[in-house]
Amino acid sequence: GENVEQHPSTLSVQEGDSAVIKCTYSDSASNYFPWYKQELGKRPQLIIDIRSNVGEKKDQRIAVTLNKTAKHFSLHITETQPEDSAVYFCAASMGTGRRALTFGSGTRLQVQP
Amino acid sequence: GAVVSQHPSWVICKSGTSVKIECRSLDFQATTMFWYRQFPKQSLMLMATSNEGSKATYEQGVEKDKFLINHASLTLSTLTVTSAHPEDSSFYICSAWDHGRDTEAFFGQGTRLTVV
């Protein structure tokens, strides 16, 4: 089955700096790669996703890049704000509604004011 | 976006009792729903895939006789934790895709189960 590895496990940045979180996946059949932000006790919140026919996607301060050959994808957050502090999870799936997501281990992001 | 509602949000039960968690898709039909478990400071781990009208598919290491899944309609899947033990205490989250749009997975709000 799919295996997703995520690094780093914790990340502390100063407000205004950029944050980068990286994930690798093992199954070349995976074609859907979402990123989630999760606050304590809450459901995961989709912040951005990318499909394998695209190499990069951006939404305001958030961007995701995908390298299919190397089987890795990254989340980039620019101009970080204290409210960005949370746990972030990457995930991978084969992209249809009948396939589950395989999650990375998570990154705890702390943005220092 | 589509809405998935999970109930209850939290529950405390005694060891040996059973607890039922409901997951409903409110504005779309879901032939497939997924149940995840998340222990504190850990990731979401898939427990089982719930299929409407047929048996659920369980991940390796998940006891199907302990975690009973029923998906009797296109909008409702239930997870029953039977003979609960303290080690079953966890955050349980369901998820479903809106097949009409098939754009993203939608999550219930999760259920915090504490077994005492």
Side-chain angles (χ1 to χ4, degrees):
Chain A
E2 176 64 277
N3 181 50
V4 178
E5 294 192 357
Q6 182 172 346
H7 301 280
S9 57
T10 60
L11 180 59
S12 181
V13 299
Q14 291 295 125
E15 183 177 358
D17 288 349
S18 295
V20 180
I21 304 171
K22 298 182 179 182
C23 288
T24 60
Y25 62 99
S26 61
D27 193 336
S28 56
S30 290
N31 59 6
Y32 176 64
F33 307 94
W35 284 90
Y36 295 94
K37 176 183 181 181
Q38 188 182 31
E39 297 177 349
L40 190 62
K42 301 286 183 63
R43 77 185 89 191
Q45 174 191 356
L46 178 70
I47 56 171
I48 197 166
D49 57 12
I50 192 167
R51 297 181 188 272
S52 60
N53 57 347
V54 176
E56 184 174 357
K57 184 176 178 181
K58 189 174 181 180
D59 183 4
Q60 298 184 341
R61 298 186 297 111
I62 296 173
V64 56
T65 58
L66 171 65
N67 183 326
K68 284 191 298 181
T69 303
K71 289 192 232 167
H72 67 70
F73 56 112
S74 301
L75 176 70
H76 305 254
I77 306 175
T78 59
E79 300 172 28
T80 54
Q81 302 167 1
E83 50 266 38
D84 293 330
S85 297
V87 179
Y88 290 80
F89 291 98
C90 63
S93 86
M94 293 184 195
T96 70
R98 290 162 183 81
R99 299 298 184 114
L101 292 164
T102 301
F103 286 84
S105 53
T107 297
R108 182 170 300 277
L109 173 64
Q110 185 75 37
V111 181
Q112 307 288 346
Chain B
V3 178
V4 174
S5 178
Q6 193 172 335
H7 178 82
S9 298
W10 60 271
V11 58
I12 301 172
C13 71
K14 292 184 177 180
S15 289
T17 62
S18 295
V19 173
K20 180 185 283 188
I21 302 169
E22 293 187 347
C23 180
R24 294 180 185 273
S25 55
L26 297 187
D27 53 356
F28 66 98
Q29 294 182 334
T31 55
T32 305
M33 290 186 176
F34 304 98
W35 287 95
Y36 295 87
R37 180 168 54 184
Q38 186 177 31
F39 291 109
K41 297 187 178 181
Q42 293 188 25
S43 185
L44 286 80
M45 297 298 293
L46 180 68
M47 297 177 65
T49 300
S50 172
N51 303 299
E52 187 268 334
S54 65
K55 291 183 179 180
T57 304
Y58 291 81
E59 295 300 298
Q60 192 172 10
V62 178
E63 300 175 56
K64 60 179 171 60
D65 294 330
K66 180 173 181 62
F67 298 98
L68 301 180
I69 290 174
N70 184 282
H71 194 152
S73 80
L74 288 171
T75 60
L76 174 64
S77 175
T78 61
L79 169 68
T80 301
V81 183
T82 64
S83 187
H85 289 162
E87 54 264 34
D88 298 325
S89 298
S90 189
F91 193 53
Y92 293 85
I93 310 177
C94 66
S95 174
W97 292 71
D98 179 351
H99 295 309
R101 286 176 279 187
D102 207 29
T103 54
E104 64 178 275
F106 296 96
F107 290 88
Q109 56 264 59
T111 298
R112 170 72 58 194
L113 170 63
T114 302
V115 184
V116 298

